[in-house]
Amino acid sequence: MSLKSECQGIHVDQSELLCKKGCGYYGNPAWQGFCSKCWREKYHKARQKQIQEDWELAERLQREEEEAFASSQSGLGAQSLTFSKFEEKKTNEKTRNVTTVKKFFSASSRVGSKKPSERVEKIMDQIKKYIVTRLYKYVFCPETTDNEKKDLAIQKRIRALHWVTPQMLCVPVNEEISEVSVMVVKAITDIIEMDSKRVPRDKLACITKCSKHIFNAIKITKNEPASADDFLPTKGNPPRLQSNIQYITHFCNPSRLMAGEDGYYFTNLCCAVAFIEKLDAQSLNLSQEDFDLYMSSQTSPRKQESENWVPDACLGVKQMYKNLDLLSQLNERQERIMSEAKKLEKDLIEWTDGIAKEVQDIVEKFPLEIKPPNQSLAAFDSENVENYKLPAPLQPQVYAG
């Protein structure tokens, strides 16, 4: 079992992050590669058309019913016509009000400088912040979805891939450099902190800070600016990752997810999560046998590297790999102990159930019978005193002296 020299790694091209329709905005795997604008145009236009057709059908059926009623009640024809004109006027008034509200928030109403639009956007952000903060426990990971199941699956997957190193993915991150190590720790802290935030914009800011720390770590290692092909998510295991991604997708301002720095880093994170879910032996240029051994924690690449280490290596490196081997052995012993403990617990439960069943069978086979007390054992203070042959009681005597 040996690692091959060539690795496939994560290669994210700029074209892969853009919308599949070619509009220039960033796409999202949650929207099947489309941006939010193209997603609405593609999948919501048919729904709006269906709603319009249902509305027209309802109006036509109402008109037919009114005409039928008017023909049967000729005396009420004028009243029916008046009611029809009233409904038409009401519909036009409602349409006019909706159009006015849409124009207020549309781009065409932003005449002159950009200050009014920025002010409206800030007001909308504050309103959304207040609403999602108050409703966070109801809208984040609701019980009607399977987000919790997905969270547990991705956490278990990342935990099983703990043996994967940046070098195996051809990512230039050298944690032996102190500055790089600090950047990696900060990135892990930021991605974990994302779950503590309630506002979608704050969660998105945590992703941006995490990604910047990773790119800075790559820049320090390579001594040159990092590219999207070098991007690798931190090796931390953030809690409720899928739920946070879905929450940001549904409640964050679409303009921030379609373009800009935040949208770019969020799309990178979604691509990285998808890569982790589909990571296999071929992605790492490993044999299926080695991949299965690493996933089952039976061995690790670090252990094999320490066995093949050159004899003239420095003492610090040798001690480091020796400590890694000890940790691996302790991990294996702990897993065996946990397995034996679970087996002992199972045996104790089965033994207790068996004893209880045997006692129950004996009680059913030999029931306990309580007999009444024997009549010969009567109380000594009963009224039948003659049977006891006791002497007569002493009589008081008068002393005449």
Side-chain angles (χ1 to χ4, degrees), residues 34 157 207 266 285 289 390:
F34 293 96
R157 179 69 173 174
I207 297 175
F266 180 70
N285 285 333
E289 181 183 1
L390 297 176

Side-chain angles (χ1 to χ4, degrees), residues 329-370:
Q329 294 175 10
L330 289 175
N331 186 25
E332 294 176 359
R333 290 178 60 185
Q334 182 182 6
E335 290 180 355
R336 288 197 302 268
I337 292 173
M338 292 299 297
S339 178
E340 294 295 333
K342 291 181 179 179
K343 183 180 179 182
L344 178 60
E345 181 183 7
K346 182 180 179 182
D347 294 340
L348 288 175
I349 294 175
E350 293 178 353
W351 178 79
T352 304
D353 295 340
I355 294 297
K357 187 176 183 302
E358 290 180 2
V359 172
Q360 184 66 25
D361 294 340
I362 293 174
V363 171
E364 293 177 355
K365 186 176 181 180
F366 305 101
L368 180 63
E369 297 181 0
I370 301 177

Side-chain angles (χ1 to χ4, degrees), residues 7-19:
C7 299
Q8 182 173 345
I10 300 178
H11 300 287
V12 182
D13 191 60
Q14 181 72 13
S15 60
E16 298 178 1
L17 303 179
L18 297 178
C19 176

Side-chain angles (χ1 to χ4, degrees), residues 63-78 80:
R63 285 197 301 269
E64 292 177 357
E65 183 178 357
E66 290 176 356
E67 292 174 358
F69 181 77
S71 61
S72 60
Q73 302 289 335
S74 57
L76 300 177
S80 176

Side-chain angles (χ1 to χ4, degrees), residues 21-37:
K21 196 174 181 180
C23 62
Y25 293 111
Y26 292 119
N28 194 322
W31 296 323
Q32 299 182 6
F34 293 96
C35 65
S36 60
K37 181 180 178 182

